[in-house]
Amino acid sequence: MDTPPTSARTDKGVRGFDLDLHVTFARPLARDAALAVLRAAEGFTVDLYAPHDQPGGPVPSARVTGPLRDPERVRAFLAAWLQGEARVVEVGLRGFLRSSTGQTDWMPWRRNLILPRTDVGRVAFLEGVKYVLE
């Protein structure tokens, strides 16, 4: 009985949890202003959301994703955003499945916890739990 060579095995992708953060600004910001606010999230992927018919127009919200390395640093910039330009922040460790081609499929949240905007310290970064700070 022949066994297939190791190189013929199927790569089923990578599974894990990454920080998934959505910030809604108190008022839409110019692109440069939004990027300046989000500068604290250095090292993460930042996607600005703007109306499709105004790609260079005001930015009402943004998404920040990537591996969580320093929870205290993330809590610090969440607190700063909520004291300044952010109206609502949704944050948590979200499950993903990344294919061998780089396509990422995000899993649904298992649970949502709504917290007052001043309770950033209660964000525990539990896998599959989304914290809504408003």
Side-chain angles (χ1 to χ4, degrees):
M1 178 178 202
D2 293 330
T3 57
T6 309
S7 61
R9 70 180 174 81
T10 303
D11 188 357
K12 300 203 186 241
V14 177
R15 296 173 190 251
F17 288 86
D18 266 352
L19 180 75
D20 188 9
L21 186 152
H22 188 270
V23 58
T24 302
F25 298 115
R27 58 178 172 54
L29 300 175
R31 179 179 169 82
D32 291 342
L35 288 172
V37 169
L38 300 172
R39 187 173 296 132
E42 183 181 350
F44 291 100
T45 300
V46 174
D47 295 308
L48 300 179
Y49 294 145
H52 291 289
D53 60 342
Q54 301 174 358
V59 176
S61 61
R63 185 174 186 197
V64 176
T65 57
L68 178 65
R69 293 183 183 94
D70 184 353
E72 287 306 315
R73 179 177 158 247
V74 174
R75 285 187 195 97
F77 66 68
L78 290 176
W81 292 347
L82 288 162
Q83 291 173 9
E85 297 292 342
R87 181 172 51 89
V88 176
V89 174
E90 300 173 15
V91 60
L93 289 180
R94 191 168 190 181
F96 69 85
L97 173 61
R98 191 165 295 126
S99 72
S100 58
T101 62
Q103 175 70 28
T104 300
D105 290 320
W106 293 94
M107 302 300 119
W109 293 104
R110 293 183 199 155
R111 185 172 173 209
N112 295 330
L113 290 175
I114 299 174
L115 300 173
R117 59 191 301 115
T118 56
D119 279 356
V120 173
R122 289 181 49 199
V123 175
F125 298 106
L126 300 173
E127 293 177 350
V129 177
K130 176 173 67 173
Y131 298 85
V132 180
L133 298 153
E134 55 182 14

